[in-house]
Amino acid sequence: MFQAGLIDRLHARRAGRVAPETAYSSSRDSATLTLNATGIASFSRTLADAVGAVIDRGEFPIVLGGDCSILLGDLLALKRRGRYGLLFVDGHADFYNPEANPNGEAASMDLALVTGRGPKLLTNIEGREPLVRDEDVVLFGFRDADEQALYGSQPLPHELLAFDLPVIRHRGAELCARNAVAHLTRNGGPDAGFWIHVDADVLDDAIMPAVDYRLPGGLSWDELTGTLRAAIQSQRAVGMEVTIYNPKLDADRAGARGLVRVVGDALA
């Protein structure tokens, strides 16, 4: 996305890059049943430091990451500072427990982890479990119900507000987005604001094939733009992450240009 002109489009500065401290391992460890759990916990603290420094300057961080496990570090930065909410815009619910997780990746259970479900190494970083309360989360755009049933993903808690793709198609993306923002900005809700998580696979597979776990269907460019614009215009969003976009699967960079356009239009 940098090469597609993100910084120029946003008139932004590049605050830095946080690199993993340990080599990737393809083996699940016996204690957590999760790939690279120790490394992710350490990386999350380092990422939280970097994101927190941007927030403390009064700026709006946009974090680009390889997969959804960066959510832990971003929300850790916020939890250090108060009670924040989460708008989780993703083609998958990412709510597996380790025993049911089909691939062992933290990116398949990041929403479960940040709400305090899973191995303590990843849920209770710095003793701050949970990083976000169930009632302060909105899950938006997921369409993996069949996969959840197949592998045995744990059910979503009733306190967590969820708009799956069939509901969005029935009610309309604009109305669902307004309802999502209303929930995150309600009286008695997260008083410090909310974070936006965007997984590129929430987009229709026909327009965004440059992701690692593809599913048919998804949001249009305009629907994603409208959703993010509603969140930004609330003036309660404090930052955003964009994950899973894989440039190796985007030969003509159409996906990158589309994401830059969406983020730019939403923040305009």
Side-chain angles (χ1 to χ4, degrees), residues 210 245-251 253:
Y245 165 73
N246 188 340
K248 294 180 181 178
L249 303 176
D250 191 24
R253 294 297 185 263

Side-chain angles (χ1 to χ4, degrees), residues 7 13 26 55 91 115 121 123 128-129 149 156 159 168 171 180 195 206 210 213 219-220 237 259:
I7 290 179
R13 72 179 182 93
S26 58
I55 291 171
T115 56
L121 177 64
T123 63
R128 299 182 188 272
E129 180 183 65
L156 296 170
E159 297 85 355
I168 291 171
R171 300 182 186 175
W195 184 261
Y213 295 103
L219 301 181
S220 69
L259 287 170

Side-chain angles (χ1 to χ4, degrees), residues 78-96:
L78 300 185
K79 186 62 183 286
R80 290 171 176 174
R81 289 162 174 79
R83 178 183 172 187
Y84 289 82
L86 171 64
L87 176 59
F88 191 88
V89 184
D90 201 304
H92 302 80
D94 290 354
F95 214 71
Y96 288 97

